[in-house]
Amino acid sequence: MYVKRVQTMLSRAKKKMMRIERRDDSAPGDLVLTRGRVHTLGAGDGLAEAIAVRNGRITRVGSHDDIAPLIGRETRVIDLAGRSVLPGINDSHLHGVWLGTMWPNLLMDQLAAPAPGPEAHDTGHGHGHGGPASRLETSADRRAAILRTGELLSSLGVTSYTEPGLGPGEDDGPTGCFGSGALRDYADLAAEGLLNARVTALMLFGELDGASSLERFTRGLREFTPPADVPGWFRVAGVKIFADGIPPMRTAWTDEPYADGTYGALLVEGATPERREADLVAMIEAAHAAGHQIGVHATGSRTTRRVAEAFRDAGARDGRDARHYLIHGDLIHPPTLAEMAAAGVGLNTQVGIAVATEEMVAAALGPDALRHAWPVRDALAAGVPLCLSSDAPVLSPDWRKGVAAAVTRTGLDGRARGPEQRIALAQALRAYTVTPAWQDGAEAWKGTLEPGKAADLCVLDADLFDVEVAALPEVPVALTVVDGRIVHEL
Ligand SMILES: [Zn+2]
């Protein structure tokens, strides 16, 4: 009798627990998007019809019938009417403070861009006015710039970005956009819950686009303490190093000679080429040993090769999954791509710069150099993790233009640049979502639309399958959701 009662009690308790579990699992969503095309970019590049979000997380992805039980009295339901949902866009190389100061002026117009979309009529693209009108002096100035960028990015569906280079190397810089104060401002805004996008930052111990020295770099590593992470919103992941310049200025360090017989040089200080190279490698080793992720601005074929080798050697020593990457990578020879793939080194590049400056590279290095210019298709074929980004305010922060440039490789004049390096739409989308999450070390919780992951979403005002990729920049972003919160709605 007693045993039976206990068994009954246990059975009831179990049923109650199961009920609770089931209720929890199928708790009504805060937000449900349904009757659309949900491009999950998850395993198998799955396509679903509906998605439910609760407490900042994705709870279910499936058919309308799968999701319907999650619609409660308090649930906001949005009928997508066939429109596409993508993971929130991650612009993995974007200067947020600088962009907030410059916008709508850009340093370089993106020549791949068709006519601006209906939501972009107020952008008035400028033709590069150098820097902001006045130097950012105060925390209030920088916070305003960051918040302005946040609003702009929300309107574009961007929910994460990387600030590639903020730190003491620029504390006395001419713009005030890249100093260590900005790191503190980001951390404060994140802690205050005021960021509209998740930010990863790289520290800068030299000057932006300028010289660096091994001595200053290692002192920065030793002495500078970045602000603490704000989980999910702000993280100082590592360091940025400027290794060389750019091919059109003949400041990229190359294997192939410029028209005047020179080969460029590293930006690292040093009396001889050997000293510069040794010091660059020493910087990479020191930052790696300190546990940092490293992004290196590397454009010439010799620089990309040398940096890839240094990443390989540093990683081989301790086996750490460091997620180091080359930034820009204008000229990369095939053996370097193979080296990068084998060592797990990423490439973070901007095809908009390719279509805008290819002629200048050809003028500087001869047309043969173009065979290895912005080789994104070859990089993917070799197995290199590829991130596409805007480098805004160099280019527009509009990822739709970046996707169009990568898929069409076509400039405003209708001429293709490096058409053999075109990539597929699905590949370009992954380079703005899945792989940047990998670059952030955050692929476990963002970058795809799967249950349990962060509810960072970008809804386009069309079905992606109905749009010519060249016309993608004309398709408005209808809705942006960050951490389950709607931050932009048409
Ligand atoms: Zn940049």
Side-chain angles (χ1 to χ4, degrees):
M1 189 64 203
Y2 179 73
V3 169
K4 203 169 176 195
R5 193 184 293 163
V6 170
Q7 279 175 337
T8 310
M9 276 169 59
L10 281 172
S11 156
R12 274 188 195 148
K14 202 172 158 197
K15 271 183 192 156
K16 196 177 169 195
M17 228 163 69
M18 282 173 67
R19 252 201 320 276
I20 289 167
E21 277 170 12
R22 205 178 308 122
R23 191 184 335 126
D24 202 44
D25 180 44
S26 59
D30 303 324
L31 177 67
V32 160
L33 311 181
T34 186
R35 296 198 170 89
R37 285 192 190 273
V38 180
H39 300 259
T40 68
L41 302 192
D45 282 341
L47 196 62
E49 188 185 12
I51 182 166
V53 164
R54 185 166 171 271
N55 288 338
R57 297 272 147 181
I58 296 164
T59 52
R60 199 175 289 180
V61 180
S63 68
H64 177 78
D65 288 347
D66 292 336
I67 304 292
L70 304 191
I71 298 175
R73 245 177 307 159
E74 308 281 311
T75 308
R76 165 105 193 261
V77 181
I78 295 177
D79 187 343
L80 293 165
R83 292 175 295 180
S84 283
V85 185
L86 294 170
I89 302 301
N90 186 338
D91 194 332
S92 51
H93 184 105
L94 172 147
H95 304 275
V97 182
W98 195 18
L99 174 62
T101 312
M102 295 270 300
W103 182 257
N105 293 314
L106 303 168
L107 296 182
M108 190 189 288
D109 265 5
Q110 191 152 335
L111 301 182
E119 85 298 350
H121 49 74
D122 61 337
T123 55
H125 290 230
H127 280 266
H129 297 291
S134 58
R135 191 178 189 277
L136 294 193
E137 298 288 354
T138 66
S139 176
D141 290 344
R142 294 187 299 262
R143 285 169 65 103
I146 292 166
L147 293 174
R148 187 160 186 250
T149 289
E151 274 179 38
L152 171 63
L153 296 182
S154 290
S155 76
L156 294 168
V158 177
T159 59
S160 291
Y161 66 93
T162 286
E163 263 280 5
L166 300 174
E170 275 280 337
D171 279 351
D172 300 317
T175 65
C177 291
F178 310 101
S180 48
L183 288 172
R184 290 191 297 274
D185 296 325
Y186 269 114
D188 290 346
L189 287 167
E192 292 161 33
L194 293 176
L195 288 185
N196 271 10
R198 310 177 190 278
V199 178
T200 304
L202 298 180
M203 295 179 286
L204 188 61
F205 299 124
E207 288 160 33
L208 194 88
D209 285 315
S212 55
S213 75
L214 176 60
E215 192 273 328
R216 246 184 310 157
F217 186 82
T218 49
R219 179 153 33 93
L221 280 182
R222 259 194 332 267
E223 294 177 4
F224 181 71
T225 307
D229 296 351
V230 179
W233 292 99
F234 179 69
R235 178 167 168 258
V236 179
V239 298
K240 165 86 175 273
I241 298 171
F242 283 88
D244 64 357
I246 56 173
M249 306 294 287
R250 302 182 182 185
T251 48
W253 191 38
T254 57
D255 282 321
E256 47 278 87
Y258 290 102
D260 60 4
T262 61
Y263 291 87
L266 290 173
L267 273 173
V268 181
E269 286 171 12
T272 64
E274 292 74 22
R275 183 77 259 158
R276 292 161 181 255
E277 185 177 337
D279 282 5
L280 173 64
V281 171
M283 283 192 235
I284 289 171
E285 303 233 326
H288 181 88
H292 291 300
Q293 181 182 38
I294 309 167
V296 179
H297 170 118
T299 68
S301 53
R302 191 154 182 190
T303 308
T304 53
R305 172 162 55 83
R306 198 62 194 90
V307 171
E309 289 167 353
F311 284 160
R312 174 201 62 197
D313 295 344
R317 216 151 292 143
D318 60 7
R320 181 164 70 89
D321 181 11
R323 316 268 167 111
H324 300 324
Y325 57 101
L326 298 186
I327 297 167
H328 305 312
D330 302 26
L331 299 167
I332 313 180
H333 290 174
T336 302
L337 291 174
E339 202 72 78
M340 291 169 69
V345 171
L347 171 62
N348 190 309
T349 193
Q350 303 79 29
V351 181
I353 294 180
V355 298
T357 67
E358 206 198 58
E359 280 88 347
M360 289 185 257
V361 174
L365 284 163
D368 278 358
L370 297 182
R371 280 187 298 136
H372 308 301
W374 294 280
V376 296
R377 187 192 183 101
D378 292 349
L380 285 173
V384 174
L386 173 71
C387 290
L388 296 177
S389 59
S390 71
D391 201 10
V394 173
L395 298 174
S396 161
D398 189 341
W399 62 276
R400 297 166 299 183
K401 295 179 180 177
V403 167
V407 173
T408 69
R409 250 350 234 223
T410 298
L412 254 194
D413 55 7
R415 268 201 46 220
R417 273 89 174 172
E420 63 286 347
Q421 294 297 340
R422 284 175 183 147
I423 61 174
L425 175 60
Q427 292 173 318
L429 293 176
R430 291 177 67 83
Y432 278 98
T433 53
V434 178
T435 316
W438 169 88
Q439 182 185 289
D440 287 341
E443 72 276 17
W445 60 272
K446 70 176 186 183
T448 64
L449 301 180
E450 295 173 298
K453 289 207 174 171
D456 296 351
L457 318 174
C458 166
V459 180
L460 289 171
D461 206 27
D463 175 356
L464 208 47
F465 291 152
D466 274 353
V467 179
E468 282 284 334
V469 176
L472 181 62
E474 294 165 46
V475 177
V477 172
L479 186 78
T480 306
V481 176
V482 182
D483 208 46
R485 180 165 52 95
I486 293 177
V487 292
H488 161 77
E489 194 167 11
L490 262 195

